[in-house]
Amino acid sequence: MATDRAPSAAPAVVLGPLGQADTEQLLRHLLDRSRSPRHLAGRLVPLCGGIPGYAAEYARAVAVDGWPEQGEPPLPRACAVSPPPA
């Protein structure tokens, strides 16, 4: 059955950041999957800001590059915000 009306847009769902405990649990899971030391989750939590995508990218970066000898791992490229086009 055809209709002349455009489909209505789905309502936007705004999700806040994960809490510290949930972020750490997610990181432990991701680090376990990549066979990285799960104790690093506690050090990564403050870097993720509760954003699940950041947690996934930091866990991936640690799995690929390891933990740096000094400081924290750099912000993964996938998490960097591009400046708006001029």
Side-chain angles (χ1 to χ4, degrees), residues 13-77:
V13 177
V14 179
L15 300 174
L18 296 175
Q20 183 174 349
D22 291 331
T23 302
E24 189 166 356
Q25 181 179 3
L26 173 60
L27 283 163
R28 282 194 312 267
H29 171 75
L30 294 168
L31 292 168
D32 280 348
R33 287 185 61 195
S34 65
R35 294 186 166 85
S36 298
R38 73 187 325 233
H39 72 273
L40 295 176
R43 295 184 64 188
L44 289 170
V45 167
L47 303 175
C48 297
I51 302 170
Y54 280 25
E57 287 302 316
Y58 271 111
R60 184 200 58 74
V62 167
V64 171
D65 302 325
W67 193 270
E69 291 185 29
Q70 295 182 354
E72 283 99 19
L75 179 69
R77 177 174 284 178

